[in-house]
């Protein structure tokens, strides 16, 4: 009986040591993944101040230039709602903001296989994300359609949709299937994966002003966990109507 007990204890110790060794190997593997560097291989952007390429953005930063401007007339009439009194109801005490210089309604739907009717219902942010995803891949020297069925992830930071507010003003009779898909953040991310035929993780991220940064952090985590081997990370925000500005002034 003593011999059998000793044998059982020895077997238990062997199993325990094997389990510890396996756990140590797993910890080492995870630590290695956590420290593995991630490379940015391509970039694209559309930012206020005429920064429509990464090079122009760098020049803007080096110059310390003011990228804000008066609210463009095609967005809304800033003079009509301007009121210097912060307590004024229905008014805004600002007339300037960070706006893109180029028209936001210019888009080539045919290039992306999108019908004119669907394109007109798409939030300009959705359109811009498609264009910039393509540009970023070109900048990286990666043929976009060469990624079909690849484990490429898409991570998109978005919060509010002023375009949804604008379309709501057109009335209930103008609601059609593209009204919803054109403004929902999950569709903005999903459309990129669908167009390029990507099979990696797809995440819309809404954490308000930090959405883009959180999308980037999430993408790095997914890369290091081998959930994807390439990631398209982006964020979009456009001020198309005055509601959000009035809301923030009231805050």
């Amino acid at each position: 009986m003593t011999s059998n007990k000793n044998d059982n204890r020895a077997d238990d110790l062997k199993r325990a040591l094997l389990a510890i060794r396996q756990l140590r190997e797993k910890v080492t593997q995870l630590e290695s993944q956590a420290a593995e560097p991630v490379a940015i291989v391509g970039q694209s952007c559309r930012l206020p101040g005429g920064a429509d390429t990464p090079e122009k953005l760098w020049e803007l930063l080096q110059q310390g230039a003011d990228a804000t401007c008066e609210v463009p007339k095609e967005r809304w009439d800033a003079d009509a709602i301007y009121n210097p009194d912060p307590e004024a109801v229905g008014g805004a005490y600002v007339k300037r903001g960070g706006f893109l210089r180029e028209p936001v309604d210019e888009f080539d739907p045919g290039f992306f296989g999108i019908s004119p009717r669907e394109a007109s219902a798409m939030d300009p942010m959705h359109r811009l994300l498609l264009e910039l995803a393509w540009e970023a891949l070109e900048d990286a020297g990666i043929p976009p359609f060469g990624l079909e069925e690849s484990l490429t992830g898409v991570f998109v930071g978005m919060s509010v949709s002023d375009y949804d507010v604008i379309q709501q003003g057109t009335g209930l009779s103008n609601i059609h299937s593209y009204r919803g898909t054109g403004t929902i953040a999950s569709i903005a991310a999903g459309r990129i994966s669908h167009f390029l035929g990507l099979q990696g993780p797809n995440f819309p991220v809404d954490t308000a002003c930090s959405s883009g940064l959180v999308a980037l952090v999430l993408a790095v985590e997914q890369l290091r966990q081998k959930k994807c081997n390439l990631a398209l990370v982006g964020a979009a925000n456009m001020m198309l109507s005055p509601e959000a500005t009035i809301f923030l002034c009231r805050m």
Side-chain angles (χ1 to χ4, degrees):
M1 290 294 290
T2 303
S3 177
N4 288 337
K5 285 183 179 179
N6 289 337
D7 290 343
N8 290 337
R9 287 174 181 173
D11 290 340
D12 289 340
L13 283 172
K14 287 179 181 178
R15 283 192 290 269
L17 288 171
L18 179 61
I20 291 170
R21 186 179 296 115
Q22 290 173 338
L23 286 171
R24 281 179 174 171
E25 290 174 355
K26 185 67 175 177
V27 168
T28 301
Q29 182 183 3
L30 290 172
E31 287 177 343
S32 175
Q33 290 177 1
E36 186 177 351
V38 174
I40 299 173
V41 296
Q43 301 177 77
S44 61
C45 65
R46 295 286 188 282
L47 294 166
D52 54 5
T53 66
E55 292 76 19
K56 289 183 180 179
L57 172 61
W58 181 241
E59 290 176 8
L60 190 73
L61 294 172
Q62 284 184 314
Q63 296 167 3
D66 182 0
T68 68
C69 64
E70 294 275 339
V71 178
K73 294 297 183 183
E74 62 269 19
R75 301 296 181 98
W76 67 83
D77 186 352
D79 292 328
I81 64 170
Y82 176 73
N83 194 319
D85 181 7
E87 300 299 324
V89 176
Y93 54 82
V94 293
K95 287 186 176 183
R96 297 179 66 85
F99 295 91
L100 300 181
R101 290 180 180 175
E102 64 270 14
V104 297
D105 57 348
E106 293 183 357
F107 179 64
D108 182 4
F111 182 81
F112 295 98
I114 296 171
S115 70
R117 189 181 188 211
E118 182 179 3
S120 67
M122 283 173 60
D123 191 312
M125 292 191 293
H126 290 217
R127 308 172 204 171
L128 202 58
L129 285 165
L130 270 174
E131 293 175 343
L132 292 176
W134 185 277
E135 286 184 21
L137 291 171
E138 284 187 328
D139 186 59
I142 299 173
F145 289 132
L147 294 173
E148 189 171 359
E149 297 187 5
S150 69
L151 203 61
T152 299
V154 176
F155 305 82
V156 173
M158 286 180 65
S159 189
V160 298
S161 172
D162 284 0
Y163 200 64
D164 186 38
V165 175
I166 292 172
Q167 292 207 100
Q168 286 175 14
T170 62
L172 298 178
S173 61
N174 287 320
I175 293 178
H176 52 83
S177 58
Y178 296 130
R179 274 279 296 270
T181 60
T183 55
I184 299 172
S186 59
I187 302 297
R191 189 182 278 112
I192 295 172
S193 291
H194 175 72
F195 175 65
L196 296 173
L198 311 179
Q199 299 296 313
N202 187 285
F203 285 94
V205 178
D206 181 0
T207 55
C209 297
S210 62
S211 298
L213 182 59
V214 174
L216 179 60
V217 170
L218 183 58
V220 171
E221 289 178 351
Q222 293 284 296
L223 283 166
R224 285 180 170 159
Q225 292 172 18
K226 310 301 182 184
K227 300 293 179 64
C228 58
N229 49 35
L230 183 69
L232 280 165
V233 188
N237 179 63
M238 279 190 191
M239 297 179 290
L240 303 174
S241 65
E243 282 81 358
T245 298
I246 294 172
F247 156 69
L248 290 171
C249 285
R250 292 297 296 161
M251 284 185 67

